[in-house]
Amino acid sequence: MADTEGGAEGRPRADTKGSPKSSAKGSTKGSAEHNAAAYAFLTPWLIGMLVFTIGPMLFSLYLAFTRYDLADPPEWIGLENFRRMFTTDPRFLTSVDVTLTYVLWSVPLLLVVSLALAMVLNRGLRFLSGYRALFYMPSLIGGSVAVAALWRQIFGEEGIVNKALAFVGIDHGSWVGDPASALYTIVVLQVWTFGSAMVIFLAGLRQIPRELYDAAAVDGASAWRRLRSVTLPMLSPLVFFNLLLGVVNAFQAFTGAYVVSNGTGGPADSTLFYTLYLYEQGFAQLNMGYAAAMAWVLVLGLAVFTGLLFLSSRYWVHYGDER
């Protein structure tokens, strides 16, 4: 029997040009070229990340264990800043209490107001786009210095609020000058910036199938029952999203408290937010090491709160792909 081209068994010779080994080499070479191009485009971002974010963070972590006043070199003192923070600094504990009170009031009120207005706008009002833009505007300007200064005038002794209350016989002094009410004027300022959360809720409401409400109505469910059994479960991912953003923003609130209290946290430290006290320690008293330690405590506190929110979300957040 004559030999075939591939050998005695009749198998064709393997084409070495198209072998798996050569294909793998070509694939690896192409992948390396693509990676090199990607890293080349990412290089400016990576440099900025290292120089302007990671570098300052690591340096502030080092400063948290030092005594540093900007004039002299940092002096290593170990955990002294943290010990002082929790044992011998009553204003630090006051700032924590004020901030927690602010978070516990402002975030739930913001969610309730934004959801209520979103449900009103979802009823099919005319000029919906105009209302949506109008209600969103406070979210754009609510954190500005100008609005905070205006807020101080509104709730001042001669402000609009007191003039309106005078018509019904209520005489109240300056709301921002009273330790019992100063913090809540800033809470109202935060709630006034409901626009962003409202737009998110409105988008979610428009995605809820109408058939769910029709089925609930056929079953005789009241409006409150439909809210609890249909609206809130369907919106729970958006509630969680707005809650998370609200908590993070509330813990970092600064501008309103600084402007309303003229940077003092008064009256009687009733508006001494954590960030305001951090700013006072770092830039007014030049205790940069202590301020850096406070900043890292805030980071850890936010991490704890965020982790607790994510852990709790498995019990009340419902996604559409769940079975």
Side-chain angles (χ1 to χ4, degrees):
M1 183 174 62
D3 287 345
T4 61
E5 184 180 355
E9 291 81 3
R11 290 193 300 270
R13 290 193 183 97
D15 187 1
T16 57
K17 294 183 179 180
S19 65
K21 183 179 294 186
S22 62
S23 299
K25 290 182 179 179
S27 176
T28 303
K29 183 179 179 181
S31 177
E33 291 177 352
H34 284 297
N35 290 339
Y39 282 118
F41 282 107
L42 286 172
T43 297
W45 180 87
L46 292 173
I47 294 174
M49 184 72 174
L50 291 172
V51 174
F52 297 109
T53 303
I54 296 178
M57 286 181 63
L58 294 177
F59 186 62
S60 71
L61 181 61
Y62 163 71
L63 290 181
F65 299 94
T66 66
R67 183 183 292 112
Y68 182 47
D69 61 2
L70 294 180
D72 301 314
E75 177 187 352
W76 183 267
I77 58 174
L79 297 174
E80 177 61 25
N81 285 328
F82 299 94
R83 187 197 63 78
R84 170 191 167 191
M85 200 179 301
F86 292 102
T87 60
T88 62
D89 188 358
R91 295 194 76 206
F92 169 80
L93 298 178
T94 299
S95 69
V96 172
D97 180 63
V98 169
T99 303
L100 288 176
T101 302
Y102 174 77
V103 172
L104 293 175
W105 276 99
S106 65
V107 175
L109 286 175
L110 177 65
L111 293 178
V112 170
V113 170
S114 58
L115 178 58
L117 287 172
M119 293 178 67
V120 171
L121 293 181
N122 193 47
R123 293 179 178 272
L125 298 177
R126 296 179 61 187
F127 311 112
L128 177 60
S129 299
Y131 285 118
R132 188 166 50 199
L134 180 65
F135 288 153
Y136 184 73
M137 191 172 296
S139 292
L140 300 177
I141 63 176
S144 65
V145 174
V147 171
L150 177 64
W151 215 255
R152 185 176 60 190
Q153 297 299 321
I154 291 174
F155 287 95
E157 189 169 358
E158 300 296 329
I160 298 174
V161 173
N162 278 341
K163 289 182 179 179
L165 292 175
F167 282 105
V168 294
I170 299 177
D171 185 17
H172 194 285
S174 174
W175 294 84
V176 296
D178 185 356
S181 59
L183 176 61
Y184 299 101
T185 63
I186 305 176
V187 170
V188 174
L189 174 59
Q190 174 65 15
V191 174
W192 182 64
T193 61
F194 58 82
S196 179
M198 183 207 68
V199 170
I200 293 173
F201 279 139
L202 182 59
L205 287 170
R206 299 201 153 204
Q207 301 301 315
I208 300 177
R210 186 65 198 174
E211 294 79 6
L212 297 178
Y213 291 107
D214 294 337
V218 170
D219 291 339
S222 62
W224 173 247
R225 182 67 180 177
R226 291 196 296 272
L227 174 66
R228 290 174 49 203
S229 302
V230 178
T231 305
L232 290 180
M234 294 296 292
L235 287 182
S236 59
L238 299 183
V239 173
F240 175 70
F241 178 77
N242 283 329
L243 174 62
L244 185 61
L245 287 185
V247 167
V248 172
N249 291 332
F251 269 105
Q252 300 178 83
F254 173 79
T255 304
Y258 182 85
V259 174
V260 169
S261 68
N262 288 320
T264 64
D269 286 346
S270 60
T271 60
L272 185 65
F273 283 24
Y274 192 97
T275 52
L276 181 57
Y277 188 50
L278 189 157
Y279 172 85
E280 179 184 318
Q281 286 291 328
F283 296 97
Q285 301 183 22
L286 297 183
N287 294 327
M288 294 300 296
Y290 191 68
M294 288 185 61
W296 276 97
V297 169
L298 178 60
V299 169
L300 294 176
L302 278 174
V304 170
F305 269 88
T306 302
L308 291 175
L309 286 176
F310 273 99
L311 286 176
S312 68
S313 66
R314 67 181 65 181
Y315 301 107
W316 60 275
V317 178
H318 310 285
Y319 296 95
D321 57 351
E322 291 181 347
R323 295 292 183 265

